[in-house]
Amino acid sequence: MTIVYLILFCFLAYPLYSIQAAEKHRVIVVENSASISGYEVNPSLVKAMFQSALKSYTLKSSVKEAWTTFFHISPKDVIGIKINATGGTVMSTRKALVNAIAESLIEAGVPSQHIIVWDKYEDDLYNASYLPLDENSRFFVKSVIPQTGFDPKVFYVNEILGKLIWGDMLFQGLKPSPTQIKQPSDSEENVARLYEKGVPVSSLERRVSNKSFYARLVTQICSKIINVPVLSDSSNIGLNGCLASLALGMVDNTRRFQGEGVWGDPAVAEILDQPLVRKKTILHVMDALIAGFAGGPQFNPEYSVVLGTIYLSTDPVAIDSLVLPLLDSWRQNARIPPLSPCAHYIQTAEDYGLGTANRKNIQVIKSSFSP
């Protein structure tokens, strides 16, 4: 009789399991060509586009309700808006989108002093015009290096040893002068040598490490994180999208995960596959207003496409899986090798349960937004 009941239970439960297995991971795609003109952003349109995407994703009638009832944000939360500031003034996360997110959080009751816009390097934030802070800014801007630093108690271990340079938590030495820092085209090995030049090193441990420490902004300061990357390529990681931008921006000693033969796999997925990161990261909003498909993350007009698009989802794997073929199609037209062979970490992220890379399981909800 027990066997009969078991068979009956499995039969009745099967439709539920099938529905769960076939559940779609939603991505909202909002477009408006008028949001960009001559590489200049229309702030009011971008704000309206973001609000539309947020309400569509959460199925709420207001941004306040979206934040408070869907994402459970309260005035006590400290919200970290993780941007990508490596692309200068044109190809970094656009301020109009960040302002839209910050204003919607304030509307939901989050004090402006509880909103922190951040990226790893202070120099990048200056180059992207996020620093110095505007007098009328409604959020703080912080860098990990050299401002808030890394948490010595929380780290990721990978068997690949990395040569430590200034900015890594365990590095012992001084920041190099501007004349010592070469252009990004130089190899990591040469840059590392310059960083170490003239610095006394007493042990191997002070030169190399298999640890990557998490930023204090992630482990201690912020209670929730909104990831706002830019749609662009990267010569070191392939696609510099939701996954790579967030993972490599929140830990130190990351040069060992980049470049030929590694391409961030499996490090990107493993860095994000931490209970702390999973719990705090609540939303991904990809800035695809202007996309860069080669020469990134810096701006190159020859390899840029004005899209006027925003992608929004809680699933970073789904967003990256959708945009990668776009970049590859543009690269093919320009007779440039595809990025897909360098972006296997996206599939690895799916294997770790960070989202779905299977297009059949992604529900894309598109809208050509018009106010």
Side-chain angles (χ1 to χ4, degrees):
M1 183 63 70
T2 303
I3 296 176
V4 173
Y5 281 130
L6 180 60
I7 294 173
L8 180 61
F9 171 79
C10 292
F11 177 77
L12 292 174
Y14 176 75
L16 175 62
Y17 294 151
S18 298
I19 291 171
Q20 290 175 339
E23 182 183 356
K24 296 286 187 178
H25 291 240
R26 288 179 297 134
V27 177
I28 304 296
V29 182
V30 181
E31 304 172 331
N32 190 312
S33 58
S35 61
I36 294 287
S37 177
Y39 301 122
E40 293 293 328
V41 177
N42 183 320
S44 60
L45 265 182
V46 169
K47 178 179 179 179
M49 289 167 66
F50 167 74
Q51 291 185 346
S52 173
L54 183 66
K55 290 185 288 186
S56 295
Y57 189 85
T58 60
L59 303 178
K60 303 299 180 182
S61 59
S62 69
V63 294
K64 179 178 181 179
E65 191 181 5
W67 287 127
T68 57
T69 64
F70 189 92
F71 291 107
H72 306 293
I73 282 179
S74 76
K76 295 181 180 180
D77 280 309
V78 176
I79 310 298
I81 301 177
K82 166 64 175 74
I83 65 170
N84 188 333
T86 58
T89 55
V90 177
M91 280 305 294
S92 295
T93 305
R94 281 90 199 179
K95 270 190 176 181
L97 180 55
V98 173
N99 285 331
I101 296 171
E103 288 171 11
S104 70
L105 289 168
I106 292 170
E107 185 177 335
V110 179
S112 59
Q113 62 267 30
H114 283 198
I115 302 173
I116 302 173
V117 175
W118 65 279
D119 202 4
K120 184 184 284 188
Y121 295 104
E122 184 180 63
D123 289 348
D124 287 343
L125 291 167
Y126 274 102
N127 291 335
S129 299
Y130 278 91
L131 288 175
L133 197 62
D134 294 337
E135 290 184 4
N136 299 323
S137 179
R138 308 194 74 182
F139 48 76
F140 287 113
V141 175
K142 300 289 184 182
S143 69
V144 179
I145 303 170
Q147 290 181 292
T148 56
F150 297 96
D151 190 334
K153 296 181 180 180
V154 186
F155 52 84
Y156 161 68
V157 177
N158 186 292
E159 63 183 8
I160 300 174
L161 288 172
K163 180 172 286 189
L164 299 174
I165 64 173
W166 181 84
D168 294 331
M169 200 190 76
L170 297 180
F171 177 74
Q172 302 293 313
L174 301 175
K175 180 179 180 179
S177 67
T179 58
Q180 288 177 306
I181 300 176
K182 291 190 175 184
Q183 297 301 314
S185 58
D186 291 313
S187 70
E188 173 202 331
E189 181 71 15
N190 289 336
V191 173
R193 282 204 193 104
L194 284 175
Y195 273 106
E196 289 187 344
K197 188 176 181 181
V199 178
V201 179
S202 59
S203 68
L204 179 62
E205 288 77 16
R206 292 184 179 182
R207 283 194 276 178
V208 297
S209 174
N210 67 348
K211 295 179 180 178
S212 288
F213 292 87
Y214 285 79
R216 289 182 60 250
L217 280 160
V218 175
T219 64
Q220 299 178 28
I221 299 172
C222 299
S223 59
K224 290 183 172 65
I225 295 170
I226 300 169
N227 183 33
V228 193
V230 177
L231 178 51
S232 72
D233 73 303
S234 168
S235 59
N236 293 323
I237 203 70
L239 173 65
N240 194 29
C242 291
L243 294 165
S245 176
L246 180 60
L248 301 182
M250 69 167 59
V251 298
D252 74 342
N253 193 17
T254 58
R255 292 155 302 284
R256 59 195 175 125
F257 306 138
Q258 303 177 52
E260 190 171 352
V262 184
W263 303 116
D265 190 34
V268 166
E270 292 179 345
I271 290 167
L272 297 177
D273 184 37
Q274 300 296 324
L276 182 74
V277 178
R278 283 178 174 268
K279 178 182 178 182
K280 291 189 176 185
T281 307
I282 61 171
L283 184 64
H284 303 267
V285 185
M286 176 172 278
D287 179 344
L289 297 169
I290 304 171
F293 62 89
Q298 286 73 34
F299 174 64
N300 187 325
E302 184 180 359
Y303 301 128
S304 298
V305 178
V306 175
L307 286 183
T309 303
I310 295 172
Y311 292 79
L312 186 147
S313 180
T314 56
D315 186 338
V317 183
I319 293 179
D320 282 1
S321 298
L322 289 174
V323 299
L324 180 61
L326 272 179
L327 267 62
D328 277 352
S329 66
W330 296 327
R331 290 171 70 91
Q332 182 179 12
N333 291 337
R335 298 183 179 180
I336 302 173
L339 293 174
S340 296
C342 308
H344 189 266
Y345 65 83
I346 298 176
Q347 180 60 54
T348 302
E350 181 184 55
D351 296 340
Y352 274 81
L354 295 169
T356 182
N358 188 337
R359 181 64 179 82
K360 294 180 180 179
N361 292 332
I362 302 173
Q363 181 186 14
V364 180
I365 303 172
K366 289 187 176 182
S367 66
S368 297
F369 178 80
S370 57

